[in-house]
């Protein structure tokens, strides 16, 4: 069994169950690159400040470089007795370069070390996720471009409400994804703060230069309070919250894809490569991918809640509870990245059924608001116009007719101000075309927004 780096004050070994319970090696080895980069930065700082000799720092940096190669080649022996990635790497370092390896931990603690590792790791992942979201937005924008002009019912309360452009509906998601990207980008400023130099909690007696360490790892900012630096996990809570919002957005889209692909709607057909069959019902094509995107939303939101609970009530400063931050982080990242990529694939290969959308535009009096607008434009107070149209709708419904199938005389019974041009207003195309207000669904407005989105996405 490996000797524990903290073994000095202990007599006898650790209970095996305790070792298994406290070890984070199985998951935190994922941080090896960041751990090595952080240690190299620290060693260089120590040498620059005259705390260790330049040759010592060089030996450490080189040794760590070799360890990186060993890990990447799958030759690194991860000893479970070594508790975590920090001790596994450091112990291997000492094994390779000798006594000088034992100087690396001068003026440092695993508390500032692990905080740095996670921050470095997350910064890279956040940048990757922003890029993945760009691909998702591109798939959405391409789909919107391809079907510009297709009409569908817009819904409120899942009841058909007013005709809209399919592209308008789709571009609503682009707004969500653009905000998701903005949130992630803004959070980078708080992630990229180096805690290195906080040491265990109180700082150190050595003449360190935390600014230099931060520059070495490419972080623009340095902690201001050592106690906060080792105990702060806000940046992770924030990320989990942002990830939860991303999943909520994807889950809403997924829900619509599930609905739209059902024969009750018949608005879209899911790509075969993204659907699955039933083991008993040969005719089935199931929307498992959107269903799982929707389902995994719960898991990501659960990770946020879990870490909030872990952090609540923790006294300052570092507590081992904080080791519980990594699994929800990794799980969230894996889940969100997969969900974003799969949503990208779904949109990229989705078949649109304009005739299904068109069929849903009849039967629901979707242009009733247009008739009310028509009367209001003629000077009828909108509330009165609303009531007149309501009565007209009731009449049409009783006769099992569309509004435009009533005669002018019949309509005039309820709305005497009506002229023959009303029938123009009742057409779904015209209803959409007239909604030219800013951000509205008129083709001219949607085309403007789409052009701006395409420019942002370099399409
Ligand atoms: N594995 C630990 C974690 O993830 C590293 C820090 C341990 N620090 C300590 N004082 N025991 O939080």
């Amino acid at each position: 069994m490996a000797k524990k780096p903290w073994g000095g004050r202990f007599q006898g070994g650790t209970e095996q169950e305790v070792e298994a319970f406290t070890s984070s090696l199985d998951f935190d080895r994922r941080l090896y690159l960041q751990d090595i980069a952080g240690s190299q930065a620290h060693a260089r700082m120590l040498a620059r400040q005259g705390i260790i000799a330049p040759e010592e720092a060089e030996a450490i940096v080189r040794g760590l470089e070799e360890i990186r190669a060993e890990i990447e080649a799958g030759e690194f022996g991860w000893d479970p007795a070594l508790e975590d990635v920090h001790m596994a790497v450091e112990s291997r370092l000492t094994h390779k370069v000798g006594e000088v390896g034992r100087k690396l931990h001068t003026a440092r603690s695993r508390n500032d070390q692990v905080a740095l590792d996670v921050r470095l790791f997350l910064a890279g992942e956040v940048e990757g996720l922003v890029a993945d979201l760009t691909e998702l937005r591109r798939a959405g924008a391409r789909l919107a471009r391809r079907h510009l002009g297709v009409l569908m019912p817009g819904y409120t309360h899942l009841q058909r409400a007013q005709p809209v452009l399919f592209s308008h509906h789709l571009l609503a998601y682009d707004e969500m994804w653009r905000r998701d990207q903005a949130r992630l980008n803004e959070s980078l400023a708080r992630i990229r703060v180096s805690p290195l130099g906080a040491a265990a909690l109180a700082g150190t007696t050595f003449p360190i230069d935390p600014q230099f360490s931060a520059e070495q790892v490419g972080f623009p900012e340095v902690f201001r309070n050592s106690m906060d630096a080792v105990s702060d996990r806000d940046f992770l809570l924030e990320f989990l919250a942002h990830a939860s919002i991303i999943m909520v957005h994807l889950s809403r889209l997924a829900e619509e894809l599930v609905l739209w692909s059902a024969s009750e709607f018949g608005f879209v057909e899911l790509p075969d490569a993204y659907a699955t069959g039933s083991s008993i019902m040969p005719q089935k094509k199931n929307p498992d991918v959107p269903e799982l995107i929707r389902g995994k939303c719960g898991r990501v939101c659960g990770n946020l809640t879990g870490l909030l609970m872990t952090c609540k009530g923790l006294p300052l400063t570092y507590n081992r509870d904080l080791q519980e931050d990594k699994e929800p982080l990794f799980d969230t990242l894996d889940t969100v990245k997969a969900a974003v990529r799969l949503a990208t694939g779904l949109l990229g290969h989705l078949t649109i059924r304009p005739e299904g959308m068109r069929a849903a535009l009849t039967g629901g009096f979707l242009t009733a608001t247009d008739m009310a607008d028509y009367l209001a434009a003629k000077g009828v107070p909108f509330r009165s116009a609303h009531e007149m149209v309501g009565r007209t709708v009731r009449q049409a419904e009783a006769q099992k007719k569309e509004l435009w199938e009533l005669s002018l005389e019949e309509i005039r019974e309820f709305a005497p101000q009506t002229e023959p041009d009303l029938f123009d207003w009742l057409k779904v195309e015209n209803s959409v075309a007239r909604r030219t207000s800013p951000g509205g669904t008129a083709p001219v407005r949607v085309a403007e927004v789409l052009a701006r989105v395409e420019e942002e996405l370099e399409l």
Side-chain angles (χ1 to χ4, degrees), residues 134 137-138 141 174 452-459:
T134 295
R137 291 183 61 197
R138 285 185 174 146
D174 189 71
R452 221 171 311 137
V453 167
E454 287 169 336
E455 200 180 297
E456 274 170 35
L457 299 172
E458 288 166 21
L459 280 178

Side-chain angles (χ1 to χ4, degrees), residues 24 28 83-84 86 110-111 114 318 320 322-323 326:
S24 53
D28 70 11
E83 218 174 280
D84 56 31
H86 324 295
R110 276 187 293 156
N111 299 349
V114 70
Y318 179 85
R320 191 63 175 267
L322 290 175
Q323 177 167 295
K326 287 164 207 65

Side-chain angles (χ1 to χ4, degrees), residues 357-389:
M357 298 181 182
R358 162 64 58 169
L361 286 168
T362 53
F365 305 106
L366 269 75
T367 52
T369 315
D370 297 84
M371 179 172 165
D373 285 355
Y374 170 86
L375 293 170
K378 288 199 178 302
V380 180
F382 186 80
R383 285 283 165 237
S384 314
H386 185 284
E387 203 170 318
M388 291 173 176
V389 179

Side-chain angles (χ1 to χ4, degrees), residues 355-426:
E355 64 294 351
M357 298 181 182
R358 162 64 58 169
L361 286 168
T362 53
F365 305 106
L366 269 75
T367 52
T369 315
D370 297 84
M371 179 172 165
D373 285 355
Y374 170 86
L375 293 170
K378 288 199 178 302
V380 180
F382 186 80
R383 285 283 165 237
S384 314
H386 185 284
E387 203 170 318
M388 291 173 176
V389 179
R391 289 210 205 96
T392 319
V393 165
R394 189 143 31 98
Q395 175 69 10
E397 202 167 35
Q399 298 185 27
K400 297 205 173 6
K401 281 184 177 168
E402 297 286 347
L403 279 177
W404 57 81
E405 288 170 337
L406 296 175
S407 69
L408 185 59
E409 290 65 40
E410 282 176 299
I411 294 177
R412 278 190 174 152
E413 252 180 65
F414 305 102
Q417 297 82 349
T418 306
E419 305 288 337
D421 63 342
L422 168 73
F423 292 93
D424 231 35
W425 283 69
L426 295 178

Side-chain angles (χ1 to χ4, degrees), residues 305-383:
T305 312
L307 190 61
L308 282 167
M309 291 307 103
T310 297
C311 292
K312 128 175 216 309
L314 280 190
L316 294 184
T317 56
Y318 179 85
N319 299 272
R320 191 63 175 267
D321 314 44
L322 290 175
Q323 177 167 295
E324 289 291 308
D325 61 356
K326 287 164 207 65
E327 284 164 296
L329 171 65
F330 296 151
D331 182 65
T332 296
L333 272 167
D334 294 341
T335 307
V336 176
K337 283 197 292 189
V340 169
R341 293 217 186 104
L342 283 157
T344 307
L346 274 170
L347 291 186
H349 299 95
L350 197 64
T351 306
I352 304 303
R353 297 269 176 246
E355 64 294 351
M357 298 181 182
R358 162 64 58 169
L361 286 168
T362 53
F365 305 106
L366 269 75
T367 52
T369 315
D370 297 84
M371 179 172 165
D373 285 355
Y374 170 86
L375 293 170
K378 288 199 178 302
V380 180
F382 186 80
R383 285 283 165 237

Side-chain angles (χ1 to χ4, degrees), residues 197-215:
L201 76 159
T204 173
T205 56
F206 290 95
I208 57 165
D209 182 352
Q211 189 65 50
F212 180 79
S213 305
E215 280 160 23

